[in-house]
């Protein structure tokens, strides 16, 4: 299906202006010729400059059991509810069309796609492909070349242990972008241009697998949404599945918090509904808007209702639905806890200057009194005012000031309130600068680690074959049971000594059997070594 090209240090097209489709599929085994089938597929479409333009991800019903994998934790029950390959073939080909298809072991994806499409009577040829395993081996001198280890080398972080096909595709897209953007020598694309793949009917049916659920700092649902593909435009979700998700979501939010079991149930329902990041986001927003409407039905949003809305918004990642309510509440909170909190001010007069300074004080937490009592902090009197309150205030020792003097008093009080015993006027800037420098050092360190593995020159075709193909040709033929012209098929035979056969078992017989088969296997293994 694929015609492989290369990212090379030689001549070619600038990959930053090209479109790539990073493909990752999971299968029930390694050999489609023996009936192994695809059970998950994901694609990340991106430009060579790293801009992601689209994502696709779905489980696939392979019509046979799936193997256990503690990385993915996919069960037979989950894939049994997913669409079969014939229903997703049109969508998958559309996401691969018009781009260079990228995979970490392209031959693996090639064999399975060719097999799956062959079952539908479709033959696609000449599709441009890029194998990142071959790319990394040619450009980097490191070991091992497994995708997880390369991601750790190039980012400084291990990928999440529990992952799905989409997470793997995202990681490889990130590595490709890093290699194109940061390689010491510019890499150029040397290979065929993008090809248009056969157009098949598109069902738009997906069942994205969600793994690695955790509460974290963002919350359960935030991590759930991040596991879904960011598909644009998004297919319509299953109506029954979406309704079931909404019902479960209302139940989970009823007590103001979401627990792990509820998150797992929501994840299963999100898969059944066929949600993407956009479609599940619209459901979350609608839930918030309906809750807000109920809170505003009586014309007043109480503090209890606002707290409930705020908790739900945080869980759903839909704070924008109540942003204005939160803004008003925050302003009121700032006012109540302002620098003049606890101040009681008595104004004497009605001038505009007096009203302005009083309004400012109230906006910063002060309250207005009518009579001069012991709790009064400041009496503001407009010039020329003749009021008994002024005399009482002076006699009782209260501070009496004009509006102009009041501004200075309030300014000084505000400055004292904003201060801190340990505050330095440059502390905030210094902290921000040190934090930025630390991030830059870490980024530079991560970059330096993988750049240290950069080969002085890329491997030629012959050197690549000698290092990574020829040494393992014997082993691969042996694994397939193929014959060699000079020796016939690879087999390991063992002769069991007669004494062991006569004993009919027991520890001694087992030891003799182990020694006989072990020695023969070791001798056979020597023929398979690449040196």
């Amino acid at each position: 299906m694929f015609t492989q090209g290369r990212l090379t240090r030689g001549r070619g097209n600038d990959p930053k202006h090209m479109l790539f489709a990073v493909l990752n599929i999971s299968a029930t085994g390694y050999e489609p010729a023996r009936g192994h089938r695809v059970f998950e597929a994901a694609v990340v479409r991106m430009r060579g400059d790293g801009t992601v333009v689209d994502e696709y991800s779905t489980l696939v019903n392979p019509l046979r059991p799936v193997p256990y994998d503690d990385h993915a934790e996919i069960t037979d029950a989950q894939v049994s509810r997913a669409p079969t390959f014939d229903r997703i073939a049109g969508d998958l080909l559309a996401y691969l069309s018009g781009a260079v298809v990228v995979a970490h072991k392209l031959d693996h994806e090639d064999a399975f796609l060719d097999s799956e499409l062959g079952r539908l009577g479709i033959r696609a040829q000449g599709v441009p492909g890029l194998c990142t395993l071959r790319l990394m081996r040619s450009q980097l001198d490191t070991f091992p070349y497994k995708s997880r280890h390369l991601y750790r080398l190039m980012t400084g972080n291990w990928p999440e242990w529990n992952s799905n096909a989409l997470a793997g595709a995202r990681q490889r897209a990130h590595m490709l972008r890093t290699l194109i953007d940061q390689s010491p020598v510019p890499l150029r694309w040397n290979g065929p241009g993008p090809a248009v793949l056969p157009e098949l009917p598109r069902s738009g049916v997906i069942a994205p697998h969600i793994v690695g659920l955790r509460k974290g700092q963002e919350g359960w649902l935030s991590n759930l949404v991040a596991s879904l593909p960011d598909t644009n435009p998004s297919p319509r979700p299953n109506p029954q599945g979406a309704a079931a998700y909404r019902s479960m979501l209302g139940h989970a939010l009823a007590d103001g918090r979401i627990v792990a079991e509820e998150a797992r149930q929501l994840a299963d329902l999100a898969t059944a509904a066929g949600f993407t990041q956009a479609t599940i986001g619209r459901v979350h927003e609608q839930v918030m808007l309906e809750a807000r409407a109920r809170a505003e039905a009586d014309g007043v949003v109480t503090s209890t209702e606002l707290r409930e809305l705020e908790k739900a918004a945080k869980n759903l990642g839909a704070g924008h639905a109540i942003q204005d309510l939160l803004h008003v509440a925050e302003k009121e909170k700032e006012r109540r806890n302002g620098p003049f909190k606890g101040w009681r001010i008595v104004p004497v007069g009605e001038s505009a200057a007096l009203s302005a300074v009083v309004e400012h004080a109230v906006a910063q937490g002060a309250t207005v009194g009518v009579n001069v009592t012991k709790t009064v902090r400041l009496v503001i009197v407009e010039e020329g005012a003749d009021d008994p309150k002024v005399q009482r205030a002076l006699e009782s020792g209260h501070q009496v000031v004009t509006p102009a003097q009041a501004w200075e008093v309030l300014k000084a009080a505000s400055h004292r309130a904003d201060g801190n015993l340990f505050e330095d006027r440059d502390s905030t800037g210094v902290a921000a600068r040190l934090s930025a420098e630390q991030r830059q050092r870490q980024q530079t360190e991560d970059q330096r680690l993988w750049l240290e593995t950069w080969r002085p020159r890329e491997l030629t075709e012959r050197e690549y074959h000698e290092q990574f193909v020829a040494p393992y040709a014997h082993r691969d033929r042996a694994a397939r049971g193929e014959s060699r012209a000079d020796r016939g098929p690879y087999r390991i035979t063992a002769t069991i000594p007669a004494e062991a056969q006569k004993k009919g078992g027991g520890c001694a017989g087992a030891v003799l059997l182990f020694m006989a088969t072990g020695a023969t296997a070791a001798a056979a293994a020597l023929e398979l070594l690449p040196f």
Side-chain angles (χ1 to χ4, degrees):
M1 177 174 177
F2 296 114
T3 299
Q4 290 199 33
R6 296 188 304 155
L7 281 178
T8 175
R9 304 181 196 183
R11 296 181 178 179
N13 297 322
D14 186 353
K16 292 183 179 180
H17 305 301
M18 297 177 59
L19 191 62
F20 295 90
V22 184
L23 171 66
N24 188 23
I25 63 174
S26 300
T28 58
Y30 297 99
E31 299 181 62
R34 295 188 178 183
H36 295 148
R37 303 288 302 274
V38 172
F39 68 81
E40 188 179 14
V43 179
V44 174
R45 285 174 70 89
M46 59 173 283
R47 291 196 293 268
D49 62 4
T51 303
V52 175
V53 297
D54 214 346
E55 292 183 338
Y56 172 80
S57 177
T58 185
L59 290 173
V60 183
N61 187 349
L63 302 175
R64 61 178 293 163
V66 296
Y68 174 76
D69 185 344
D70 57 358
H71 287 282
E73 300 176 351
I74 296 175
T75 65
D76 291 333
Q78 288 174 316
V79 297
S80 68
R81 298 187 291 267
T84 51
F85 190 87
D86 60 306
R87 297 189 67 195
I88 65 108
D91 293 311
L92 181 59
L93 289 179
Y95 282 99
L96 300 179
S97 183
V100 175
V101 179
V102 182
H104 191 59
K105 193 174 182 182
L106 191 63
D107 290 343
H108 175 266
E109 270 73 2
D110 194 346
F112 276 97
L113 285 183
D114 197 54
S115 173
E116 294 288 357
L117 293 173
R119 293 172 183 268
L120 305 177
I122 300 169
R123 295 296 178 193
Q125 296 180 339
V127 180
L130 172 65
C131 179
T132 54
L133 175 61
R134 186 183 183 97
L135 170 64
M136 297 298 185
R137 285 172 170 176
S138 297
Q139 305 295 344
L140 305 182
D141 185 7
T142 185
F143 189 83
Y145 288 95
K146 292 182 178 180
S147 181
R148 287 177 54 83
H149 292 82
L150 290 169
Y151 184 82
R152 170 69 174 85
L153 174 68
M154 301 185 77
T155 67
N157 300 302
W158 285 105
E160 294 291 338
W161 178 258
N162 291 326
S163 63
N164 54 13
L166 179 59
R170 287 171 173 171
Q171 292 159 15
R172 290 158 199 177
H174 180 83
M175 290 190 292
L176 178 62
R177 184 205 61 156
T178 300
L179 198 64
I180 292 175
D181 183 57
Q182 300 180 12
S183 59
V185 179
L187 297 177
R188 302 292 179 182
W189 170 250
N190 187 334
V196 177
L197 297 183
E199 292 188 10
L200 300 179
R202 300 183 61 176
S203 68
V205 178
I206 60 172
H209 181 47
I210 298 170
V211 295
L213 277 178
R214 64 188 186 282
K215 185 176 181 180
Q217 294 182 347
E218 300 85 2
W220 291 105
L221 293 185
S222 179
N223 283 286
L224 186 157
V225 172
S227 290
L228 296 172
D230 187 7
T231 307
N232 297 292
S234 293
R236 292 175 59 87
N238 176 281
Q240 292 77 20
Y245 178 87
R246 284 196 58 169
S247 297
M248 181 62 203
L249 182 61
H251 171 75
L253 292 172
D255 60 357
R257 65 191 185 95
I258 295 177
V259 297
E261 182 59 28
E262 292 170 337
R264 284 190 287 268
Q265 292 171 346
L266 287 169
D268 289 340
L269 291 172
T271 297
F275 281 134
T276 66
Q277 290 188 13
T279 53
I280 200 172
R282 286 195 286 270
V283 171
H284 289 178
E285 181 180 22
Q286 187 62 33
V287 168
M288 281 302 308
L289 292 175
E290 291 175 359
R292 173 176 177 163
R294 289 192 293 272
E296 293 177 327
D298 58 358
V300 178
V301 178
T302 66
S303 57
T304 300
E305 290 172 333
L306 185 60
R307 284 195 297 270
E308 290 183 12
L309 289 173
E310 189 172 7
K311 287 181 180 179
K314 182 178 180 181
N315 279 317
L316 297 174
H320 58 281
I322 58 169
Q323 190 63 45
D324 56 332
L325 295 179
L326 295 176
H327 179 72
V328 172
E330 184 63 26
K331 287 297 183 183
E332 177 60 20
K333 182 179 179 181
E334 290 179 0
R335 187 196 69 77
R336 292 196 306 267
N337 297 299
F340 308 133
K341 179 181 179 181
W343 282 48
R344 187 172 178 83
I345 296 175
V346 174
V348 179
E350 298 180 353
S351 68
L354 178 63
S355 298
V357 70
V358 171
E359 288 177 3
H360 172 75
V362 170
Q364 300 294 317
T367 58
V368 177
V370 177
N371 299 315
V372 179
T373 63
K374 292 182 179 180
T375 59
V376 172
R377 184 76 170 267
L378 188 66
V379 178
I380 308 176
V381 184
E382 62 183 18
E383 295 184 10
D386 184 14
D387 192 295
K389 295 179 184 178
V390 178
Q391 186 61 34
R392 287 198 299 270
L394 292 172
E395 292 175 354
S396 59
H398 287 84
Q399 187 175 13
V400 179
V401 295
T402 64
Q405 293 170 333
W407 282 110
E408 296 300 321
V409 172
L410 295 177
K411 181 179 179 181
S414 178
H415 180 73
R416 288 194 301 272
D418 291 340
N420 185 286
L421 292 176
F422 301 98
E423 184 181 38
D424 185 299
R425 63 182 181 179
D426 297 326
S427 59
T428 302
V430 171
R433 177 175 56 79
L434 291 176
S435 180
E437 290 176 354
Q438 184 177 8
R439 289 194 300 269
Q440 182 62 39
R441 283 196 302 269
Q442 185 62 50
Q443 182 178 357
T444 303
E445 179 67 15
D446 294 341
Q447 181 179 357
R448 185 183 63 81
L449 288 175
W450 80 266
L451 289 178
E452 287 179 352
T453 68
W454 184 258
R455 295 184 183 276
R457 60 180 181 82
E458 66 182 346
L459 297 182
T460 64
E461 292 286 342
R462 179 176 180 178
E463 290 169 336
Y464 183 90
H465 187 273
E466 290 175 350
Q467 287 193 36
F468 298 106
V469 179
Y472 310 106
H474 295 173
R475 179 201 63 187
D476 294 340
R477 283 199 298 269
R480 294 191 298 267
E482 296 179 0
S483 300
R484 283 181 53 179
D486 57 340
R487 299 186 186 178
Y490 288 92
R491 291 189 178 89
I492 297 177
T493 59
T495 302
I496 303 176
E499 301 82 46
Q501 297 182 35
K502 291 178 181 180
K503 291 181 182 294
C507 293
V511 171
L512 289 172
L513 177 61
F514 175 80
M515 292 173 62
T517 56
T520 308
L526 289 175
E527 297 184 358
L528 303 180
L529 294 176
F531 48 84

